[in-house]
Amino acid sequence: MHRALEGSYRRGELQEICRRYVAYRKWMNHLVYAWPNWVTRLPDWVTLEGDEHLRAASERGKGALLLSGHAFGFAAFVTPVLAQLGYGVSRTGRGRRVDQVTRWGKAENYERWGYINYGEDCWNRAQALNEMRQALKANQIVHTSIRGFPRGDPRLQIDFCYKDFFLDHRLIRIIEIMQVSVLPCFAICDNQGRLIVKIYPPVAPAGEEVMRVFGSLYARYLREVPELTRIWRRVVQQQEGW
Amino acid sequence: MNAEQIRNRTDALVKRVYEASQKAALPENFVLMGDDGVLDSISILELVVALEREFGIEVTGEDVRPENFQDMSSLTVFIANKMSHS
């Protein structure tokens, strides 16, 4: 983290960001394993802001795509929490490996959510994209996250810890093809460890508009709470494909 | 709509998604997706949206598989079958 951020923050600030990052990772892991304990007391542990945008999207009858930053904050809990609150919701992912949150979610005591698996080959991906489209047509919510890369389309560039960072042009294109309403969504926590899921007003399904609204929001979160992103090593190494 | 009309309209849609400039009809064995295919998964999504609009059919997630989208021939048969059942 020092290598990624040095020159951008003073030494004391950097140390504080590093401390908060360690706390975030430990808390994230704890929340995953403790899900069965706190899911039964959701109102004590989660504040959902902007759910009126979800309800409005539902009333329009065309579903909504919740869009988060990849590997940022507590996004992994957005789908389980919304399912528990009664929303018909799916999330996208790759591979058959189910994480702890997904396993708890499939337990009979909890509300289920859908899992759209991008799979390994082009046919799997095409099927997954069509599944996503069908879910949205059926007025469901789909939660997905957008990845970033060290190289890309200059129009999709955002500030990221003072490094080059380009959002995934493929997801932007998918949004434009599906013509789905995009609701930016970020999950952070307060200083007591309680989750805050923030859902923002809908963004028109056009690349420029997504970048103007979502891109600005994402950049702001990265600037204000840099400790909530989990891709430091990739940033430093400028790995292809992160 | 007869088979030839379906074939012609499908040909036009594939060319549009593929951004092909050729005027001649695509051959029956023109591979759409897979090892030698010209379309990626996102292009297939774009094609599916266009097919639904053009032919008034509904394409499910499971429909998107090699038997239906491998080449022009399989795609035309798939659309005809869908239309006959809708």
Side-chain angles (χ1 to χ4, degrees):
Chain A
M1 289 177 74
H2 272 261
R3 279 178 57 201
L5 297 179
E6 64 186 353
S8 306
Y9 293 90
R10 290 193 304 274
R11 182 177 172 77
E13 288 175 326
L14 265 176
Q15 287 176 337
E16 187 54 38
I17 290 170
C18 290
R19 267 195 288 271
R20 291 200 301 263
Y21 175 69
V22 172
Y24 156 63
R25 292 303 300 262
K26 290 184 83 71
W27 188 236
M28 177 80 184
N29 290 342
H30 174 74
L31 286 179
V32 169
Y33 285 96
W35 165 256
N37 300 322
W38 60 276
V39 69
T40 52
R41 292 180 293 138
L42 219 53
D44 297 336
W45 283 97
V46 181
T47 302
L48 180 61
E49 295 179 6
D51 50 335
E52 68 272 19
H53 304 304
L54 275 182
R55 287 196 299 274
S58 176
E59 282 163 15
R60 284 194 295 273
K62 293 181 178 175
L65 187 70
L66 287 179
L67 184 62
S68 299
H70 180 66
F72 181 82
F74 298 86
F77 291 106
V78 169
T79 305
V81 163
L82 290 179
Q84 196 63 26
L85 294 174
Y87 290 96
V89 59
S90 299
R91 77 176 176 90
T92 61
R94 187 184 299 276
R96 294 198 171 278
R97 187 180 66 84
V98 288
D99 58 32
Q100 191 73 10
V101 176
T102 305
R103 277 207 294 275
W104 287 121
K106 288 189 184 301
E108 61 186 9
N109 293 335
Y110 310 109
E111 295 300 326
R112 287 164 184 255
W113 59 86
Y115 178 60
I116 298 172
N117 180 7
Y118 283 132
E120 299 302 325
D121 65 19
C122 60
W123 291 106
N124 293 145
R125 284 193 293 278
Q127 283 168 354
L129 291 177
N130 210 34
E131 243 179 81
M132 189 197 293
R133 194 179 62 92
Q134 293 287 343
L136 292 165
K137 271 175 75 175
N139 201 22
Q140 287 199 355
I141 299 161
V142 176
H143 180 223
T144 193
S145 59
I146 190 162
R147 301 181 72 191
F149 298 97
R151 281 169 285 282
D153 185 336
R155 289 170 299 182
L156 306 183
Q157 184 172 14
I158 64 171
D159 291 334
F160 179 64
C161 305
Y162 309 96
K163 307 288 177 188
D164 291 335
F165 185 73
F166 301 87
L167 295 185
D168 187 350
H169 66 95
R170 293 168 300 186
L171 187 53
I172 300 288
R173 191 169 158 224
I174 289 166
I175 289 167
E176 289 180 334
I177 292 170
M178 289 188 183
Q179 285 296 296
V180 61
S181 182
V182 176
L183 305 183
C185 174
F186 290 89
I188 56 176
C189 76
D190 66 15
N191 57 11
Q192 298 296 310
R194 287 185 286 259
L195 297 192
I196 303 168
V197 177
K198 293 189 178 187
I199 297 168
Y200 292 85
V203 178
E208 277 180 16
E209 195 60 11
V210 172
M211 285 309 297
R212 188 182 69 78
V213 180
F214 175 84
S216 305
L217 274 171
Y218 192 11
R220 197 189 83 201
Y221 275 105
L222 290 169
R223 192 169 56 246
E224 291 178 355
V225 278
E227 65 272 17
L228 291 189
T229 185
R230 304 194 296 276
I231 53 176
W232 296 106
R233 195 173 302 163
R234 296 171 185 175
V235 172
V236 173
Q237 295 172 347
Q238 291 282 291
Q239 287 177 348
E240 184 66 48
W242 57 267
Chain B
M1 194 180 300
N2 64 34
E4 191 182 347
Q5 288 170 319
I6 294 174
R7 178 69 173 78
N8 291 341
R9 289 189 184 192
T10 307
D11 187 87
L13 291 178
V14 170
K15 281 178 187 164
R16 198 178 73 200
V17 172
Y18 175 40
E19 294 178 351
S21 54
Q22 70 182 82
K23 287 187 178 170
L26 298 169
E28 292 291 311
N29 62 354
F30 185 80
V31 181
L32 296 174
M33 199 164 84
D35 289 341
D36 299 318
V38 296
L39 302 180
D40 62 9
S41 53
I42 300 176
S43 301
I44 287 289
L45 173 71
E46 193 176 352
L47 180 61
V48 165
V49 170
L51 291 173
E52 286 196 347
R53 200 169 296 151
E54 180 76 20
F55 297 106
I57 57 175
E58 185 161 345
V59 181
T60 66
E62 289 184 354
D63 286 333
V64 184
R65 55 180 197 264
E67 298 93 291
N68 299 331
F69 281 80
Q70 179 80 39
D71 53 30
M72 286 301 292
S73 171
S74 57
L75 182 58
T76 309
V77 171
F78 166 71
I79 294 166
N81 286 341
K82 274 280 175 186
M83 290 182 75
S84 66
H85 288 102
S86 63

